[in-house]
Each structure stands twice: as structure tokens, then as C-alpha cells.
Amino acid sequence: MSALGKSSVRLQGVYTVKALREFIGSLQLTHNTIALVPTMGNLHEGHLSLMHLAREYADIVVCSIFVNPTQFGLGEDFSGYPRTLLEDEALLEKQGLVHLVFAPEEKDIYPFGLDNTAKITMPGLSKELCGSGRPGHFDGVASVVLRLLNLISPDILVLGEKDYQQLILLKRLVRDLHLPVQIVSGVIHREADGLAMSTRNQYLSPAERKVAPKLYCELVKLSKLIKSGGEDCQTLVKQSLSSLETFGFKPEYIEVRRSIDLGKPMETESPDGLIILAAAWLGNARLIDNIQL
Ligand code: PAF
């Protein structure tokens, strides 16, 4: 049955681990399946599409809202990250697909404090691509997602494909630690002009907002050129990086990888099964995007 066919539900909010445990305990007695959509809040259409997907896969949808300090590096936007819990809850209430919002405080998630907490160290891939510009970021993501999985025991974990490297690393975490959860991913949601939806888009000035879709345009162009097989891939990537610079971006990287595991493809590899990933700064906004070939 599609999520739309299911009846609208009343949203409940819990803000402590104790209250969460009570809610989850009562669900386990009824043998309902649970899907978790982890978020940092400031919800937009992209998040809402993940709630939809979650509801297709499970009886109960839990949305966590927690701006996780351990995934932000020094000088990153942790303190300025938009916190809009009341608006988020109102949006979810209106959508009518989510049963529970879990919005804990930092001391609930990290009871021993941030300097004295157990942390997950993710393997090699976590230091490449986005990980090279954001050291420790994926260790922080894994550390919080593992805690959420332990607290909520969902059957399904729903993640967006915009954060593709995060998706692959969390799949790896689940397999590596034998976690009893199935990961389901939702496609990227885009604005009408192609810009991938993201909370950080609001850091763009009106002028930058007009330029921002060029990141996606460049990826589309690059993917067509790679598929047509004319020029060497590295040369094409260099051309794209310099086009982005011309438009005013400060690109961190554009890379072509295998979509299955983000491994580096061989030169002779066919374009099927490849993905292009990019991160670029535009003013104060760090934009990421990707496109599968
Ligand atoms: O993708 C995000 O919003 C975050 O990285 C996540 C998965 C909620 C962990 O804090």
C-alpha cells in the first residue's frame, strides 16, 4: 500500500531518552515495524519525501531531529545551523505521516559529555571526498546514527541520496557491526531550477541563489560527456572545475566513483554504475550534489 493510502496519523513529540524508551517499548509489544528518518531538522520537501518513503516501508515512522555537534568541525556552522523545532513539528503534523518526533538534548545523546564520549572511527572512505575537507565528520555521523539505532531499534533506516557518501558509509557501518536494520534510500529532491534541496541553501544570497543551480548543470553536462566517451575523464573533470570557478564557486572536488561503494573506477570501466560527486562553496554555503551515470 502506498503511504498516501494509509490514514493520517497524530504526531507525538518526545524529548528525552526515558520518554522515547517508553514509546518504543509499547510499540515492540504490538509488533509494529518501525522506520527511522534521522534529520537535523529545518525540514524541507526533501525530508518530507523521506517520511513518505518511510511510511511505505513501515507501520510506524519516527523522525529524529538533532543537530549533532560531533559531525561539525571547528569553524563550521554548528552554532548557526537553523534550529526550527516548532515549525518542523507543525510541518510533520500537517503531513500526517510521522508518528513520533524524537528531539533530544545533547546531554541525552552524549551522557558523558562531548570530550569524554565513545566514538566510532569509520574506515578509509570517510577521509576521502567530503571527508578530506571535513575531517572527523563521518565519524561524528556514524557515532550519532549508531546511538539512534540503539535507542529506536528501527527495522528500516531511511536516508537521502544527496548525502551519498554518508549513505554508503552508513551501509558499511550496518554491515560491519551486524546491525539488524535495512537501509532504504530516497532520491535527491530538487528545486524547479535543479538545485538540490538543502538546509544550507538558505545561506546563499539572492545573487548566489541564481548561480547555485549551475553546480547541477555542470554535473549533467559532465555526465553526458563521460557517457559519450570522447575525451579522457580527468580532462573533463578539470574543465568542469574551471567552469565552476568561472561562475564564482570555490570547488572542493568533483570526482567520478563507483556508485556501489564509492571506490575509484578503473580507466577502462564502463560508465554504467558510476557516479559523479561534487562539493563546492558558493559564498557561505557549502553545496554538495551528485548524479549517477
Ligand atoms: O544527514 C543528516 O542530516 C545527518 O548527517 C544525520 C544523518 C541526521 C546525522 O546527524
Side-chain angles (χ1 to χ4, degrees):
M1 190 197 276
S2 88
L4 275 179
K6 295 186 177 176
S7 59
S8 178
V9 296
R10 247 201 101 83
L11 184 72
Q12 196 177 324
V14 298
Y15 310 99
T16 63
V17 163
K18 187 170 174 285
L20 176 75
R21 285 200 195 283
E22 278 164 22
F23 183 93
I24 298 296
S26 65
L27 282 183
Q28 280 162 346
L29 296 176
T30 59
H31 302 289
N32 279 311
T33 51
I34 306 176
L36 166 66
V37 187
T39 79
M40 297 206 299
N42 198 243
L43 304 179
H44 50 67
E45 284 295 323
H47 294 112
L48 295 185
S49 71
L50 298 180
M51 311 301 160
H52 239 281
L53 194 57
R55 192 74 203 283
E56 279 174 23
Y57 277 83
D59 305 316
I60 302 291
V61 178
V62 178
C63 167
S64 64
I65 296 185
F66 179 64
V67 184
N68 171 37
T70 63
Q71 68 188 78
F72 288 80
L74 271 179
E76 290 190 9
D77 55 343
F78 174 66
S79 57
Y81 198 87
R83 288 155 171 88
T84 52
L85 182 58
L86 290 180
E87 289 89 333
D88 292 343
E89 287 181 330
L91 203 61
L92 294 176
E93 178 88 62
K94 190 162 160 235
Q95 192 193 25
L97 294 176
V98 173
H99 298 74
L100 186 82
V101 167
F102 173 50
E105 286 184 28
E106 191 178 295
K107 62 176 169 25
D108 252 325
I109 294 294
Y110 297 108
F112 292 96
L114 294 181
D115 296 332
N116 194 25
T117 189
K119 253 197 172 180
I120 299 286
T121 304
M122 292 301 288
L125 171 65
S126 69
K127 295 175 183 60
E128 300 173 20
L129 303 165
C130 284
S132 69
R134 303 188 70 189
H137 168 68
F138 292 111
D139 294 349
V141 170
S143 298
V144 76
V145 171
L146 180 61
R147 282 168 170 81
L148 293 169
L149 293 174
N150 283 338
L151 286 167
I152 297 164
S153 308
D155 303 275
I156 308 285
L157 173 65
V158 180
L159 297 166
E161 290 175 7
K162 186 173 81 70
D163 297 294
Y164 198 84
Q165 188 177 5
Q166 167 173 286
L167 170 67
I168 295 298
L169 281 164
L170 290 176
K171 281 187 177 171
R172 169 74 194 266
L173 180 82
V174 162
R175 285 193 63 197
D176 213 344
L177 302 189
H178 308 285
L179 303 174
V181 67
Q182 181 196 342
I183 295 187
V184 170
S185 68
V187 294
I188 300 180
H189 247 63
R190 298 187 180 279
E191 305 286 355
D193 58 11
L195 177 65
M197 287 189 188
S198 164
T199 296
R200 291 188 168 103
N201 291 349
Q202 57 197 274
Y203 300 164
L204 296 165
S205 70
E208 288 159 356
R209 175 62 190 82
K210 287 196 183 125
V211 175
K214 297 211 183 292
L215 176 61
Y216 179 55
C217 293
E218 205 50 52
L219 296 188
V220 172
K221 196 168 110 193
L222 182 57
S223 76
K224 285 185 185 150
L225 289 169
I226 292 176
K227 274 195 219 152
S228 70
E231 257 186 285
D232 151 68
C233 194
Q234 285 318 313
T235 312
L236 294 171
V237 165
K238 275 194 193 135
Q239 284 165 4
S240 290
L241 286 167
S242 68
S243 308
L244 287 181
E245 281 171 5
T246 316
F247 294 130
F249 289 88
K250 287 201 177 75
E252 265 183 21
Y253 67 83
I254 298 183
E255 286 207 33
V256 182
R257 295 282 178 121
R258 283 199 303 256
S259 59
I260 185 90
D261 57 3
L262 291 185
K264 293 188 181 162
M266 288 184 296
E267 267 177 40
T268 50
E269 206 150 318
S270 111
D272 302 334
L274 298 184
I275 181 168
I276 311 172
L277 306 108
W281 286 88
L282 190 58
N284 291 327
R286 183 177 180 280
L287 306 176
I288 60 172
D289 206 344
N290 65 73
I291 185 168
Q292 310 230 14
L293 268 78

